Amino acid sequence: MKRVIHWFRRDLRVTDNTALSEAARRAEHVLPVFILEDALRTGPDVGAARLAFLLNSLEALRKNLTELGYQLLVHRGKSPEVLPKLCADLGAEAVFANKRYEPYAEARDQRVFNALNAAGVGFELFKDAVVWEEQEILTQAGKPFTVYTPYAKAWKLKAASAPRGRLRMLAHPQGSTFDRQCDLPPVDLAGIAQGLKPSPAPAGERAALERLRKFMCGPVYEYGAHRNFPAVDGTSLLSPHLRCGTIGIRTILAALAKAREAAVTPAQRQSCEVYLNELIWREFYLQIVHNFPRVTKGAFRPEYDELQWSDNQHHFEAWCAGMTGYPIVDAAMRCLNATGNMHNRLRMIVAMFLTKDLLINWQWGERYFMQQLMDGDLAANNGGWQWSAGTGTDAAPYFRIFNPVSQGEKFDPQGEFVRRWIPELASLPDQCVHRPWERPLGTGGSSYPPRIVRHEEQRLKCLAMFGAVKKTVRP
Ligand SMILES: Cc1cc2nc3c(=O)[nH]c(=O)nc-3n(C[C@H](O)[C@H](O)[C@H](O)COP(=O)(O)OP(=O)(O)OC[C@H]3O[C@@H](n4cnc5c(N)ncnc54)[C@H](O)[C@@H]3O)c2cc1C
C-alpha cells in the first residue's frame, strides 16, 4: 500500500501500538491523524481534568511523532465525515485504527466503515487495548463470563499457553510523509488547552513509561499490602494512561513479568499477582460492556431497574461537595474535585455511601465520576458503580453495605488522608477523626458539618428498598 492513515483514538503512543506499526510495515507512507470530535469536548460526561490530560497527551504525541519524522494532523468534526475527506485529499487507500469495545464507539466505527467503504477506502481495526477480546474468553458453554473470578482464571490459563504479545517500535519513515495538502483547518490544541486548568498529572507516553518504571522497581512488591490505604502512594496511577493509551497493556505486562522474575520472596511474587488481577478487572469490564451493552443504560440485573431510589437533590449536592459529615467520604470527594483522581478503596466507599446510605441512584454517581475523573472510562466506571450498588455482575450482593466509619478507621487508621483533605478536622485526636460527632469539647472541628444521615438507619432503609424488589421478582 502506498498511503495509510493511522487514526489515533485511545492509543496516543508510538511504541507498542499495533495498528500504527502495522501501518508502518505495510504502507510506504503513514499519515497520523487525530479527530477532535465535539463529544470529546462538550456533553454531559465530559470532564475538564480528562480533557486537559487528553490535550496534553496529544501534544506529547505530536512531539514524539515529529522526532520520528511524522507529522500529526489534528482535525475537528465527525469522524465519518472527516476521514473520507482526508483520504481523498491526501490520497490514502486505507485507514488503520486500534479497536474500541464500548457500544457507542463500535457504532461510530460502523458509520466510519460505511463512509469509507462508499468512498472505496479500506478500514482495518486491530486488537491492541486488551490481551483478550470479548469473544476470546468464554465459559465452557460458549457464553461470556459474568463473574470475575472464573473469568480471571480462564484469562490466565489462556495467557500461559499463548506467546507473549510483541512490543513494537515505530521506525523512521523512508521519505517525507506528506507531499499533499489537506484543506481542512487544523485544530489549535494549545488554544483549547488555555481555557482549562493544567493537566492534574504528567501526561504523554514518556510520563507513562516513567511512572511504570518507578512502580515496577519497588512499589509493585508492596502493592498487595499497600493498595487499600489511600494515604500511601501504593498503586501504579496508570489508569489515565491506560485510558488514553499513552501506555500499552503489553508494555505493562512485560514490565510486570520482569518484576516477578526479579522478586525475592513469595510475598513479592504474590504482590505481582495481585497487580495482574487488577489489570484483568479492566478487561473483565470491557468485555461486559461489549457483551451486555444494556449496562450502559441500566442495571446489569434488570430487576434492579425497579429500585425506588430516594434521589434527594440536597443529599446529592452534599455528597458531591464533600459535606456529608462522614470524614472519609468527604475527604475522598474533595480529593476527587481538586485532583481528578480518587483511590480505588475510596471509590468503593463513596459509591456505597451514595447508593446505600443516601439511597441515590448509582447512575447519578456514575455520571458525576465521569465529569470529574481524569481516568473516567465507561466500562470500568460502570462496572465499579454497579458492583458497589449491588446491581452488577459480581459478588457485591446488595446486603453488603460498607460502614463509612469503620472503613475509614480500617483504611486510614491515623486519619492522615482525612486530615489532608479536611483541614477543619486536622486537630482532632486519632480516635475521633472518623467520628467527629464524638470529639471532646475544645478539640476543634466545629466548622465541619454534622452527619446528613445516620448510617444505622439508612442501612435498614436500603435493605428494605432492595427487599421490596426481591419480593416482586419471580424465582
Ligand atoms: C465506583 C468506581 C468507579 C471507577 N471508575 C473507574 C474509571 O472511570 N476508570 C478507571 O480506569 N477505573 C475506575 N475504577 C477502578 C479503579 O478504581 C481505578 O482503576 C484505580 O483506582 C486507578 O488507580 P491506579 O491506576 O493506581 O490503579 P492500580 O491499583 O495501580 O491498578 C492498575 C490498573 O488496573 C486497572 N484496574 C484496577 N482496578 C480496577 C477495577 N476495579 N476495575 C477496572 N479496572 C481496574 C486500572 O486500569 C488500573 O490503572 C472505578 C472503581 C470504582 C469502585
Side-chain angles (χ1 to χ4, degrees):
M1 270 189 266
K2 210 161 161 48
R3 286 156 194 269
V4 166
I5 285 184
H6 173 77
W7 178 21
F8 278 103
R9 291 111 68 93
R10 293 224 192 150
D11 57 336
L12 305 183
R13 65 184 185 279
V14 296
T15 54
D16 184 19
N17 184 325
T18 314
L20 180 62
S21 43
E22 270 303 296
R25 191 178 69 78
R26 284 165 49 191
E28 279 173 38
H29 298 288
V30 179
L31 316 171
V33 167
F34 184 87
I35 301 168
L36 199 62
E37 296 220 11
D38 284 348
L40 291 171
R41 301 180 49 232
T42 51
D45 281 350
V46 172
R50 199 159 61 256
L51 183 58
F53 191 84
L54 168 75
L55 294 172
N56 285 319
S57 301
L58 268 176
E59 257 327 320
L61 175 69
R62 193 203 291 280
K63 281 195 194 116
N64 292 345
L65 283 166
T66 306
E67 279 170 21
L68 287 165
Y70 297 84
Q71 183 193 340
L72 177 67
L73 283 182
V74 181
H75 288 288
R76 191 175 278 177
K78 291 190 166 58
S79 307
E81 290 160 18
V82 173
L83 283 166
K85 166 103 182 86
L86 276 176
C87 289
D89 286 357
L90 302 170
E93 291 150 66
V95 173
F96 284 12
N98 288 312
K99 209 170 147 187
R100 297 274 310 270
Y101 301 93
E102 303 86 346
Y104 71 88
E106 291 206 303
R108 192 254 330 261
D109 285 355
Q110 186 59 51
R111 291 196 295 280
V112 167
F113 172 81
N114 295 343
L116 290 174
N117 198 31
V121 175
F123 182 40
E124 287 191 44
L125 290 172
F126 297 82
K127 174 169 95 167
D128 178 77
V130 294
V131 178
W132 303 120
E133 291 185 322
E134 67 284 350
Q135 291 297 318
E136 289 183 295
I137 306 267
L138 296 172
T139 63
Q140 284 190 339
K143 299 239 161 68
F145 280 97
T146 57
V147 179
Y148 168 78
T149 307
Y151 171 85
K153 207 169 151 200
W155 191 104
K156 287 179 190 174
L157 257 179
K158 197 170 167 81
S161 59
R164 202 176 282 167
R166 273 191 303 142
L167 299 188
R168 304 197 246 194
M169 307 296 290
L170 181 61
H172 285 265
Q174 296 303 312
S176 143
T177 40
F178 286 105
D179 52 8
R180 296 199 199 179
Q181 289 295 316
C182 160
D183 64 11
L184 286 170
V187 173
D188 172 19
L189 286 180
I192 301 174
Q194 254 176 16
L196 297 167
K197 280 199 258 175
S199 163
E205 188 169 354
R206 285 195 184 131
L209 292 172
E210 181 53 18
R211 181 70 209 170
L212 178 71
R213 190 192 61 73
K214 273 202 184 128
F215 181 70
M216 290 297 172
C217 69
V220 70
Y221 296 126
E222 308 286 342
Y223 181 76
H226 288 170
R227 74 192 184 100
N228 272 312
F229 295 88
V232 178
D233 183 14
T235 67
S236 69
L237 299 181
L238 284 173
S239 54
H241 292 291
L242 271 163
R243 187 199 172 275
C244 266
T246 38
I247 198 156
I249 186 67
R250 288 157 304 277
T251 301
I252 299 181
L253 290 175
L256 183 62
K258 254 192 174 170
R260 199 192 174 113
E261 274 161 30
V264 180
T265 64
Q268 290 182 338
R269 267 190 294 282
Q270 179 54 27
S271 204
C272 294
E273 193 67 19
V274 177
Y275 187 68
L276 174 63
N277 291 339
E278 296 308 309
L279 294 170
I280 298 176
W281 270 108
R282 173 177 164 270
E283 295 199 4
F284 176 71
Y285 284 139
L286 270 170
Q287 65 90 26
I288 290 288
V289 286
H290 179 91
N291 288 319
F292 304 93
R294 67 165 190 274
V295 297
T296 63
K297 304 257 175 341
F300 174 79
R301 296 168 200 272
E303 67 266 27
Y304 290 138
D305 283 332
E306 303 308 318
L307 285 167
Q308 297 298 307
W309 302 102
S310 89
D311 291 351
N312 178 317
Q313 187 67 35
H314 296 300
H315 284 175
F316 181 64
E317 281 162 18
W319 178 82
C320 293
M323 297 292 278
T324 67
Y326 283 91
I328 195 72
V329 174
D330 293 344
M333 294 305 292
R334 293 183 194 189
C335 170
L336 171 68
N337 294 337
T339 67
N341 190 26
M342 192 193 285
H343 188 277
N344 181 57
R345 169 59 49 182
L346 300 177
R347 294 187 204 204
M348 293 192 289
I349 295 173
V350 303
M352 282 233 188
F353 187 80
L354 185 79
T355 53
K356 293 178 174 171
D357 282 77
L358 301 183
L359 310 178
I360 290 176
N361 190 332
W362 59 271
Q363 288 166 308
W364 291 29
E366 181 192 29
R367 168 151 296 172
Y368 189 73
F369 264 32
M370 284 307 280
Q371 291 163 349
Q372 300 299 324
L373 281 172
M374 195 168 40
D375 68 10
D377 170 83
L378 187 149
N381 194 41
N382 181 276
W385 273 97
Q386 297 227 32
W387 184 94
S388 308
T391 61
T393 51
D394 234 78
Y398 70 88
F399 46 81
R400 181 198 277 188
I401 300 176
F402 284 178
N403 177 325
V405 176
S406 50
Q407 285 285 313
E409 288 172 344
K410 186 164 176 197
F411 296 110
D412 186 31
Q414 271 81 49
E416 195 183 334
F417 186 81
V418 160
R419 289 195 177 85
R420 197 181 295 163
W421 289 102
I422 311 185
E424 304 97 288
L425 300 180
S427 61
L428 258 58
D430 288 1
Q431 59 277 16
C432 58
V433 71
H434 290 289
R435 45 179 90 228
W437 49 91
E438 289 177 10
R439 66 186 181 274
L441 272 176
T443 47
S446 55
S447 55
Y448 183 66
R451 286 170 287 176
I452 56 172
V453 290
R454 294 297 157 105
H455 172 70
E456 299 69 24
E457 290 166 13
Q458 297 304 106
R459 188 177 166 278
L460 297 177
K461 288 188 198 162
C462 173
L463 291 173
M465 179 179 80
F466 274 88
V469 167
K470 283 254 149 206
K471 269 193 215 132
T472 61
V473 177
R474 273 174 284 149

